[in-house]
Amino acid sequence: MHPDKPLLLIDVDGPLNPYAAKPTRRPAGYTTHRMRPTGWTDGKPLRVWLNPAHGPGLLALADRYELVWATTWMGEANDWIAPRLGLPELPFIRWPQMHGRAPRGTFWKTQYVLEYAAGRPFAWIDDDITDLDREYVGQLHPAHALLRYVDERVGLTAEDFAVLAEWAA
């Protein structure tokens, strides 16, 4: 843990894997990977699109942030995603319950993100962030927080990386 740095909480599906892009057209800059994480019981391996430039981009942010997985992949992001992006093993949020009820219409992860942050500043990239989540965090979290919505059809962009770098500066 690096309590002097803000956290950068990283979702996989949406920000790193633009799963909602047209299924027959891989987004520019992405490569296709076939994976079988725990719980994936479909006959075919899961198709995951990853952009190899995201690894160096996230590593560059590691000077300013403590990088943490905030994904339903949990620790399996270290097995399946990190090696393909050139990332080291990262800590991850263990969700007490996934896809459950959430306070005030927020995304189910939001309450647990606040628990994990434990009062520390954080930036969070996810494709399910809404204004309700921003309002909830603004009311309950004592430190600065950036909730950055990433379009699940596009994934992380150069603009997202610039906003994250500027926010941490």
Side-chain angles (χ1 to χ4, degrees):
M1 296 271 293
H2 303 281
D4 54 321
K5 292 182 180 180
L7 300 165
L8 176 54
L9 306 174
I10 308 162
D11 183 30
V12 169
D13 294 316
L16 297 180
N17 170 30
Y19 67 90
K22 293 184 188 242
T24 56
R25 188 159 183 208
R26 182 177 62 212
Y30 285 79
T31 56
T32 301
H33 303 270
R34 297 290 177 178
M35 302 180 183
R36 213 178 262 292
T38 302
W40 184 257
T41 56
D42 191 13
K44 298 187 309 186
L46 177 65
R47 181 206 72 215
V48 177
W49 285 325
L50 297 173
N51 185 331
H54 286 163
L58 290 168
L59 288 174
L61 291 172
D63 288 344
R64 299 177 180 185
Y65 289 98
E66 179 183 344
L67 306 182
V68 176
W69 294 119
T71 174
T72 57
W73 291 70
M74 292 192 283
E76 286 193 83
N78 286 318
D79 301 328
W80 294 100
I81 307 300
R84 287 162 177 88
L85 295 179
L87 295 173
E89 185 170 313
L90 301 176
F92 61 93
I93 298 176
R94 289 185 190 274
W95 310 111
Q97 180 180 356
M98 289 196 288
H99 310 291
R101 294 184 53 142
R104 299 188 211 157
T106 59
F107 179 39
W108 67 266
K109 286 183 185 178
T110 307
Q111 61 191 319
Y112 304 125
V113 161
L114 289 184
E115 287 176 19
Y116 187 87
R120 284 177 65 184
F122 70 87
W124 175 24
I125 51 175
D126 203 298
D127 60 306
D128 283 305
I129 292 169
T130 69
D131 287 339
L132 290 174
D133 300 294
R134 288 184 189 91
E135 181 181 318
Y136 183 78
V137 169
Q139 291 172 354
L140 297 178
H141 191 64
H144 292 293
L146 171 67
L147 279 67
R148 181 79 179 170
Y149 167 79
V150 176
D151 188 329
E152 65 273 13
R153 296 166 297 172
V154 177
L156 279 173
T157 65
E159 180 184 345
D160 295 314
F161 281 101
V163 166
L164 290 166
E166 184 180 319
W167 186 83

